[in-house]
Amino acid sequence: MTHKMKLKKETKTIYYAFIQKMEVPLGASEQEIDEIEAKYNKNCNIGKVEDNEKLLLEGLSKYPNSWELKSTLLDTYFTYVCRYEREDPKYREYIEKTIKLGNEILNKCVLDNERYSAMQILVFVYRQTNELDKAKEIVKKLPCLYVTEDWLYPEVVTGIERIKAVERNIDSLVELFYSALTSTYGRRE
């Protein structure tokens, strides 16, 4: 289990404990939501992506307080945005669904992973719809690169684990640089 997976599991466990302690009706056990997520991942792996929207909507009808399921549904909507051509009516439908759900997560969710994921997706969608002012508002709320888990993790580990963490950061920075170069230069705007 990677440190990110472990952190996500720990955060989720704390969240469920908090919800139960506050006596807020969650409506689902952690295991049931994990099973829906596992089915989602299986569908992705076997090419049944179309089944995921229905799966997640059914899950949310049963467990409407699950930010994890809402975040996964947001990923699904964004996948559809990327799939359809701009002229296709489905493109506009999924743009609207993505913006609505992304903003709901930003306005109501307190879990960092889900909020940051929503912010990332909304920035990309607002870029596609040429709503750059809205994208800038979101970007200004994000922390700078140097206060991220990936950047700080090498500071709290030693030995081989530190070397591997630094190598991952170098790989990420090279990918970021390459992506910036290929998406910026030679592009008509």
Side-chain angles (χ1 to χ4, degrees), residues 119 123 132-144:
M119 291 170 119
V123 166
L132 298 180
D133 288 339
K134 290 180 180 180
K136 285 178 192 174
E137 277 182 45
I138 294 170
V139 168
K140 287 178 183 178
K141 294 176 185 175
L142 291 167
C144 72

Side-chain angles (χ1 to χ4, degrees), residues 23-179:
E23 298 178 348
V24 175
L26 181 63
S29 71
E30 186 175 348
Q31 181 180 354
E32 290 172 301
I33 290 174
D34 286 346
E35 288 170 5
I36 293 169
E37 291 283 334
K39 176 82 172 164
Y40 168 88
N41 289 328
K42 182 180 177 186
N43 286 346
C44 287
N45 291 335
I46 61 174
K48 291 187 171 184
V49 179
E50 291 76 18
D51 294 349
N52 282 337
E53 182 179 7
K54 181 180 176 187
L55 171 73
L56 293 166
L57 288 171
E58 286 173 1
L60 283 166
S61 70
K62 189 172 181 185
Y63 313 120
N65 298 327
S66 173
W67 291 111
E68 185 175 0
L69 291 179
K70 288 180 183 185
S71 182
T72 305
L73 181 61
L74 181 64
D75 289 340
T76 301
Y77 287 163
F78 184 61
T79 300
Y80 288 136
V81 166
C82 296
R83 175 182 285 182
Y84 293 111
E85 297 293 325
R86 290 178 189 259
E87 300 77 34
D88 191 319
K90 290 275 190 189
Y91 174 81
R92 190 73 223 156
E93 174 188 342
Y94 282 103
I95 284 281
E96 290 169 6
K97 285 181 177 185
T98 302
I99 290 171
K100 181 180 178 186
L101 184 55
N103 280 309
E104 178 187 344
I105 291 169
L106 283 185
N107 293 330
K108 296 179 181 176
C109 182
V110 296
L111 301 173
D112 288 343
N113 286 338
E114 281 72 8
R115 289 181 50 78
Y116 286 138
S117 178
M119 291 170 119
Q120 179 186 35
I121 288 171
L122 284 170
V123 166
F124 291 142
V125 168
Y126 286 139
R127 169 111 174 111
Q128 284 185 311
T129 60
N130 206 26
E131 297 176 86
L132 298 180
D133 288 339
K134 290 180 180 180
K136 285 178 192 174
E137 277 182 45
I138 294 170
V139 168
K140 287 178 183 178
K141 294 176 185 175
L142 291 167
C144 72
L145 172 69
Y146 305 109
V147 294
T148 63
E149 175 188 354
D150 291 332
W151 192 263
L152 293 174
Y153 188 72
E155 301 301 322
V156 298
V157 293
T158 58
I160 298 295
E161 189 174 3
R162 179 179 167 86
I163 292 168
K164 287 181 178 181
V166 170
E167 287 173 348
R168 281 192 305 270
N169 283 347
I170 291 169
D171 287 345
S172 293
L173 290 171
V174 168
E175 286 178 27
L176 180 66
F177 181 69
Y178 176 77
S179 176

